[in-house]
Amino acid sequence: MEALWIVVALLVAGGIGSPVTMLVLRLARSVDTAERRRAELPEPADQPQFDLPDPPAEPPRAPVDSLPPGVLRGGLVIGVLERLAVTVAILGGEPVAIAYIVAVKALGRYAELKESPAASERFIIGTLASMLWAAGVATIIKVYLL
C-alpha cells in the first residue's frame, strides 16, 4: 500500500504541479500589470497642475512573459523533474537533498538569469511555486498516509 501512495504522491506533485506553477506565474504577472497601471494613472483634475520638466526616460521594462527566444527553454521538463526530486527527497527522509536540487538548477541557469531580469523573476517565482507544491504534496502523503 505504501508503494501506491508513493506513486500517487509522485503523480500529483509532478503532474498537477505544472498547472499550479503556471497559475502562480499568471497571478504574479497580473499583479505586476496592475501595479504598473496604478503608477501610470493621470493626476486628478482638481489638484493644481505644475509645469515640471519631464523625468528622464527609463528603458522600457519587458513583461514577464516576453522573454527573448531561447531563454529558460526546457523549463516545463526541468520543473517536473524538480518536483519529482523534491517529492522523493521528502518521502525518503532526506530533505537536505532539496538544497542540492536548488543549487544544481540555479547553477545551470546562472548565465541566462544574469542577462535577463524578466527571466530571473520568472525563475524565482516558478521555482518557489513548484517546490512548495511538491513539498506540500510529499509532506501530506508522508504525515497522513505513510
Side-chain angles (χ1 to χ4, degrees):
M1 193 63 165
E2 278 189 20
L4 175 67
W5 288 120
I6 291 171
V7 170
V8 167
L10 292 171
L11 289 174
V12 170
I16 300 175
S18 293
V20 169
T21 302
M22 295 305 288
L23 179 68
V24 170
L25 286 168
R26 193 172 302 130
L27 177 65
R29 184 181 65 232
S30 68
V31 168
D32 189 41
T33 303
E35 286 177 2
R36 274 194 234 142
R37 283 187 188 142
R38 260 190 301 242
E40 295 171 0
L41 287 177
E43 295 179 15
D46 61 344
Q47 292 186 1
Q49 301 293 319
F50 300 103
D51 290 330
L52 298 174
D54 291 334
E58 292 182 18
R61 287 181 49 193
V64 174
D65 279 354
S66 66
L67 300 176
V71 174
L72 299 181
R73 61 191 183 282
L76 182 63
V77 173
I78 292 169
V80 170
L81 294 173
E82 164 193 325
R83 286 186 296 277
L84 292 175
V86 167
T87 304
V88 168
I90 291 174
L91 292 177
E94 293 294 333
V96 174
I98 297 171
Y100 298 121
I101 297 163
V102 172
V104 168
K105 186 175 178 186
L107 286 173
R109 294 285 196 190
Y110 179 73
E112 290 173 293
L113 299 176
K114 189 171 77 168
E115 298 296 320
S116 172
S120 181
E121 179 180 317
R122 187 172 175 87
F123 175 83
I124 292 169
I125 293 169
T127 298
L128 287 175
S130 183
M131 289 188 142
L132 285 172
W133 174 260
V137 168
T139 302
I140 289 170
I141 296 288
K142 184 171 184 166
V143 169
Y144 293 110
L145 301 172
L146 294 180

